[in-house]
């Protein structure tokens, strides 16, 4: 019985201690005097996002990917690609790529659709093959693999 009482006391103490740690206000991390960061990486934040993905409608081909420029400056799509990665990460397929300049103004959207689906006639770009309705990811990246931040 003494053993059970000690275990209960230890559990209650642990819960209380964790509660105090979680409730305490966070403080900024301080550097040592005279220290400097090892490197400063100045990645410009991108305002280009994958805003919508539809994996099918009346037919499996009625699918699309929409990009949006949510920033206040024009974005050039040159050197970028949209790829689909299967849920197992075993297959990566390119759905669209831009080898030449294509400017996307602030607040504008770009539609990429399956060439066999109902959205193809109004799409800015089309692709063949599909997106699995059961999983996977659509990724906007630089041609060659580096994701867009």
């Amino acid at each position: 019985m003494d053993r059970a009482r000690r275990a209960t006391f230890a559990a209650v103490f642990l819960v209380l201690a964790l509660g105090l740690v979680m409730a305490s206000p966070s403080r900024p991390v301080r550097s040592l005097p005279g220290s400097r960061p090892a490197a400063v990486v100045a990645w410009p934040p991108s305002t280009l996002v994958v805003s919508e993905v539809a994996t099918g409608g009346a037919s499996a081909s009625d699918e699309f990917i929409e990009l949006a420029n949510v920033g206040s400056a024009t974005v050039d799509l040159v050197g970028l690609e949209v790829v689909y990665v299967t849920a197992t990460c075993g297959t990566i397929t390119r759905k669209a790529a831009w080898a030449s300049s294509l400017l996307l103004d602030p607040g504008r959207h770009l539609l990429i659709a399956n060439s066999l689906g109902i959205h193809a006639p109004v799409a800015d770009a089309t692709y063949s093959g599909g997106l699995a309705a059961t999983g996977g990811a659509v990724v906007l990246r630089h041609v060659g693999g580096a994701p867009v931040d």
Side-chain angles (χ1 to χ4, degrees):
M1 188 66 158
D2 190 41
R3 204 179 207 181
R5 197 174 320 166
R6 276 189 273 151
T8 302
F9 177 75
V12 168
F13 178 77
L14 182 61
V15 168
L16 289 174
L18 286 173
L20 287 173
V21 168
M22 297 303 287
S24 66
S26 60
R27 296 183 185 151
V29 177
R30 295 186 183 175
S31 312
L32 296 174
S35 67
R36 295 185 342 198
V40 176
V41 179
W43 292 97
S46 176
T47 60
L48 191 60
V49 298
V50 176
S51 58
E52 189 173 356
V53 176
T55 58
S59 79
S61 298
D62 295 341
E63 57 188 21
F64 64 86
I65 301 163
E66 183 184 62
L67 302 181
N69 180 357
V70 297
S72 59
T74 300
V75 174
D76 193 349
L77 300 180
V78 67
L80 299 179
E81 65 183 355
V82 174
V83 296
Y84 171 70
V85 183
T86 59
T88 62
C89 297
T91 306
I92 299 174
T93 55
R94 179 183 287 168
K95 298 303 178 186
W98 295 274
S100 59
S101 184
L102 177 62
L103 301 177
L104 191 61
D105 292 328
R108 299 302 304 243
H109 298 254
L110 185 120
L111 185 65
I112 308 163
N114 187 318
S115 60
L116 300 176
I118 62 171
H119 306 291
V122 296
D124 299 294
T126 59
Y127 59 86
S128 60
L131 308 172
T134 58
V138 174
V139 179
L140 179 64
R141 67 183 191 172
H142 297 278
V143 173
V148 174
D149 295 327

